[in-house]
Amino acid sequence: MKARSIKYLTGEGIKNVWVNRLMSIASVGVLMACMVLIGIAVIIGQNVNRAMVGLEKQNVVMVYFNDYNSVMYPIDFDADDEMIDPSTITDDMYVVHNDEEGKAVAEKIEKLDNIAEVEYFTKEEDMQRFEDKKISNITDDVNFCSCGAKVTLKDLSRFDETIEGIEKVEGVYHISSSDETAEIISAIKDGLGTAGIWIIAILLIISLVIVCNTIRVTMYNRKLEISIMKAVGATDAFVRLPFVVEGILLGLISAILSEVVVYFCYRVMLETFIPSIMGATMPVSFASAALPIFGLFVAIGVVSGVIGSVIMISKYLRREGSEFKAYN
Amino acid sequence: MRVINTNTQVPGYEQPLIEFRGVSKTYIGGTHALSDVNLKINKGEFVFVVGSSGAGKSTFMKLIMREEKANVGEVIVNGYNLSTMKRKQVPMLRRTMGIVFQDFRLIPNMNVFENVAFAMHVVGAGSRKIRKEVSRALAKVGLGHKARSMPDELSGGEQQRVGLARALVNAPDLIIADEPTGNVDPNMSYEIVGLLDEINKRGTTILMVTHDHNLVRDFNHRVIMLDGGKIVADNAEGSAL
Ligand SMILES: Nc1ncnc2c1ncn2[C@@H]1O[C@H](COP(=O)(O)OP(=O)(O)OP(=O)(O)O)[C@@H](O)[C@H]1O
Ligand SMILES: [Mg+2]
């Protein structure tokens, strides 16, 4: 197609938006509603993600091994309890007899799925940690701690199965974790992800339907012009282009306006509920989110504009085809 | 597909602009609109197509414009075989013809000039050429002074002259007009056919359907008469009928 034809047809497309302005305003309104919802979902999602990253750093469990101390001072051992008589404890009552064997257990854990890092510690190191943290005020020289490993998980959403796997390793005695937080976080994240995808999919379909409908109205308004164009020898591409331009233009206008609306919405959100969901983490700044969100809006607008107009006009041209009802 | 005439060429023989070879058209539903039509129309002819209502005149025109496709036989127009032609090539065929509509088909929100210019935009003409050619076409139909008028400010005859200017503006080889005078008063009819006659004298082939016997009688041209989908009379030189 010649450059001047493209220029002419682009002008016609812009004119369509104006001539058909009531319909254009309506469809920009609906497109904007969809885009603003998507934009807000995205920006909340980004904040939640950022908050998660902070929490995910606690994605570490302490795995204690089945050594002498684990028998001597069981997990439910209390300072007031009567001591087990050390003479009754035999070697075959526990698995890990020394650090070599302890490291071997740690290596087995490291080979499991979804394990990011395993760091072996001796019972002395664990005791030291207790004293450092002043968790215990037992200052006598009895070390009641067990050796074990600090295990970091990769994917928090697979927390349960990973823990089960670790428990099955021979020589593992007890796992201590704040697994409730982990579960809640991964549930929220999964939920948001799935819901987000569905919301975006549904809104995209709505946008597409709206654009299709607007283009259809323009098309029927311009039926006469199309019939003359066909009669004079316009190619399908030529007939189609103004409608594609119209669709894209509606998408772009909606994208720009939506960006502005999302900016103001986010400002309100920052003053209201965002800080409470973020805790200590800094909320995402609009500036850093602005470009990806605008990109998304333009993509939604342009894609629904192009697809909508191409679907509608192709349907029309196929039906009315080369026939243009010249005569009855 | 542009057909190169491979027949044994007779010296001085010119390929006809339009040729029907054993053409039949049956609509979905079973109406036999045309059956076994054979004819040739040469470049530069002026042909009236007449016949009673339902005789197949409009169908005949639609086959030439490739608005309908023949079921049987071959329609060749301006070197294009319309039966084997791809949908994509139809625009190229249409650019060789100018179509005049019975109901004028002017775009109501465009003025006279823009209505005619529209046909040139469609074929990608430049704005300077458009200005020049549109003015010329409007002058030819005697409406140079109405260029800025809107269609609803014109009489039926004037509107049809705009339609004629639009058909002319791309300098087609052939003008197709199905009852172009069907919606205008008798005086205007003479004026419009007079214009077509002048255009024809400058070399453009004209194909016009009419019910008006006075027009056919007063303008002495070839007349093809259809009845029940068959050519029942044709006063062409050397015609078999
Ligand atoms: N699209 C169509 N579908 C089915 N039948 C059709 C169609 N167009 C025309 N016909 C039928 O084909 C026959 C010829 O129609 P056509 O329009 O060619 O007649 P015509 O000579 O132009 O008549 P008129 O003078 O009334 O315009 C008629 O019987 C008509 O009903
Ligand atoms: Mg007819």
Side-chain angles (χ1 to χ4, degrees):
Chain A
M1 200 180 291
K2 289 176 188 161
R4 65 165 160 260
S5 290
I6 292 172
K7 203 174 126 199
Y8 169 76
L9 293 173
T10 306
E12 290 298 297
I14 294 169
K15 225 158 61 185
N16 281 355
V17 173
W18 177 247
V19 170
N20 208 5
R21 53 193 168 276
L22 218 64
M23 201 61 206
S24 300
I25 291 170
S27 50
V28 165
V30 178
L31 275 174
M32 272 177 68
C34 292
M35 286 179 182
V36 167
L37 285 175
I38 291 174
I40 287 175
V42 166
I43 208 161
I44 291 179
Q46 283 184 345
N47 274 305
V48 169
N49 248 331
R50 180 181 276 201
M52 300 279 160
V53 170
L55 289 170
E56 251 168 340
K57 293 208 180 97
Q58 300 162 11
N59 197 6
V60 166
V61 292
M62 304 303 281
V63 180
Y64 292 97
F65 295 165
N66 188 6
D67 62 358
Y68 177 84
N69 273 2
S70 71
V71 183
M72 182 66 197
Y73 309 101
I75 188 78
D76 41 18
F77 171 79
D78 207 309
D80 303 330
D81 285 355
E82 214 175 310
M83 298 277 273
I84 296 165
D85 181 1
S87 63
T88 62
I89 299 174
T90 55
D91 271 7
D92 57 353
M93 287 175 75
Y94 54 95
V95 179
V96 177
H97 302 90
N98 52 44
D99 282 345
E100 302 314 311
E101 286 174 10
K103 279 179 189 152
V105 175
E107 269 164 35
K108 270 191 219 160
I109 294 173
E110 201 160 13
K111 287 198 186 90
L112 295 176
D113 196 24
N114 197 34
I115 302 294
E117 206 185 333
V118 175
E119 202 184 313
Y120 178 74
F121 54 80
T122 63
K123 58 179 188 271
E124 290 77 22
E125 283 163 350
D126 198 45
M127 188 66 192
Q128 189 61 43
R129 213 161 40 91
F130 266 83
E131 284 170 0
D132 288 349
K133 283 191 176 173
K134 297 203 170 19
I135 290 172
S136 165
N137 48 10
I138 305 167
T139 45
D140 54 349
D141 40 40
V142 180
N143 184 351
F144 53 86
C145 290
S146 289
C147 67
K150 190 174 151 195
V151 177
T152 312
L153 308 189
K154 278 185 195 153
D155 179 4
L156 205 53
S157 69
R158 290 161 60 201
F159 186 88
D160 286 344
E161 48 170 291
T162 313
I163 295 300
E164 263 173 50
I166 297 174
E167 275 169 346
K168 280 193 195 115
V169 172
E170 156 113 88
V172 169
Y173 173 65
H174 170 69
I175 299 173
S176 97
S177 68
S178 51
D179 53 350
E180 260 154 62
T181 346
E183 261 168 46
I184 293 167
I185 292 170
S186 65
I188 292 175
K189 221 171 151 181
D190 279 1
L192 280 180
T194 320
I197 287 168
W198 277 106
I199 290 172
I200 289 178
I202 289 167
L203 294 179
L204 267 178
I205 291 169
I206 294 175
S207 311
L208 195 63
V209 169
I210 287 303
V211 172
C212 280
N213 203 47
T214 311
I215 300 289
R216 201 185 56 193
V217 170
T218 313
M219 226 165 51
Y220 282 89
N221 283 344
R222 304 194 67 170
K223 225 179 159 151
L224 176 64
E225 275 163 72
I226 295 175
S227 84
I228 294 164
M229 284 163 106
K230 298 297 293 179
V232 186
T235 57
D236 284 357
F238 191 95
V239 177
R240 194 183 296 129
L241 192 61
F243 298 98
V244 176
V245 169
E246 182 184 357
I248 291 176
L249 204 61
L250 291 174
L252 285 180
I253 293 171
S254 311
I256 293 167
L257 295 178
S258 301
E259 183 83 358
V260 174
V261 172
V262 168
Y263 169 75
F264 285 108
C265 287
Y266 190 54
R267 261 177 56 167
V268 172
M269 282 154 60
L270 279 178
E271 280 160 23
T272 52
F273 69 93
I274 292 275
S276 64
I277 63 166
M278 294 304 285
T281 319
M282 268 291 286
V284 173
S285 74
F286 183 77
S288 69
L291 205 63
I293 288 181
F294 188 62
L296 184 66
F297 288 174
V298 170
I300 295 170
V302 169
V303 166
S304 49
V306 170
I307 295 180
S309 50
V310 169
I311 289 175
M312 290 320 291
I313 195 77
S314 304
K315 222 165 114 183
Y316 184 86
L317 288 177
R318 228 179 309 121
R319 189 151 31 82
E320 314 269 314
S322 51
E323 128 195 33
F324 44 89
K325 302 268 180 281
Y327 307 116
N328 301 313
Chain B
M1 191 181 302
R2 200 115 199 174
V3 177
I4 309 300
N5 196 342
T6 50
N7 297 343
T8 19
Q9 298 269 331
V10 179
Y13 172 87
E14 206 189 335
Q15 202 184 346
L17 187 70
I18 297 169
E19 186 169 359
F20 277 54
R21 294 183 189 153
V23 173
S24 295
K25 172 69 190 175
T26 307
Y27 283 109
I28 300 163
T31 312
H32 300 290
L34 288 179
S35 19
D36 193 28
V37 171
N38 289 285
L39 97 168
K40 286 176 185 171
I41 295 171
N42 291 318
K43 272 201 177 84
E45 282 194 82
F46 190 130
V47 179
F48 285 119
V49 179
V50 299
S52 55
S53 187
K57 306 180 295 294
S58 295
T59 304
F60 173 70
M61 303 294 254
K62 284 176 187 172
L63 287 175
I64 295 169
M65 296 181 287
R66 185 48 153 72
E67 203 189 319
E68 294 287 354
K69 252 174 123 169
N71 308 102
V72 183
E74 284 185 332
V75 177
I76 295 158
V77 177
N78 229 333
Y80 292 95
N81 185 335
L82 305 201
S83 329
T84 55
M85 174 181 241
K86 300 233 164 61
R87 201 172 105 75
K88 258 190 149 157
Q89 295 172 303
V90 173
M92 292 307 131
L93 168 77
R94 297 263 170 83
R95 288 175 194 200
T96 68
M97 48 182 73
I99 300 169
V100 182
F101 301 91
Q102 179 176 356
D103 56 1
F104 319 140
R105 301 242 178 142
L106 303 183
I107 299 161
N109 56 0
M110 289 185 187
N111 66 30
V112 166
F113 183 93
E114 290 162 342
N115 262 287
V116 179
F118 184 66
M120 292 191 79
H121 281 300
V122 171
V123 296
S127 57
R128 186 183 297 163
K129 189 176 177 204
I130 290 178
R131 233 173 298 130
K132 193 176 122 202
E133 295 299 329
V134 172
S135 307
R136 255 170 72 174
L138 286 176
K140 246 184 232 171
V141 300
L143 284 176
H145 59 295
K146 296 271 190 181
R148 301 288 152 216
S149 302
M150 298 306 281
D152 60 4
E153 297 165 356
L154 303 178
S155 73
E158 285 170 331
Q159 288 189 43
Q160 191 56 299
R161 275 148 64 194
V162 178
L164 190 51
R166 181 177 61 196
L168 275 177
V169 77
N170 286 326
D173 303 319
L174 169 67
I175 284 187
I176 295 185
D178 193 343
E179 298 186 49
T181 60
N183 287 349
V184 299
D185 68 63
N187 284 341
M188 260 311 159
S189 298
Y190 272 82
E191 209 170 307
I192 284 162
V193 180
L195 280 168
L196 286 171
D197 205 31
E198 268 175 50
I199 294 158
N200 172 249
K201 287 207 174 83
R202 293 192 203 125
T204 308
T205 309
I206 311 276
L207 207 52
M208 171 178 163
V209 172
T210 185
H211 283 285
D212 190 332
H213 295 292
N214 295 328
L215 282 175
V216 175
R217 191 191 55 229
D218 294 345
F219 291 88
N220 187 27
H221 292 304
R222 177 176 173 185
V223 182
I224 294 172
M225 185 181 239
L226 287 170
D227 191 32
K230 288 189 161 65
I231 297 179
V232 292
D234 183 350
N235 64 355
E237 274 180 79
S239 166
L241 287 156

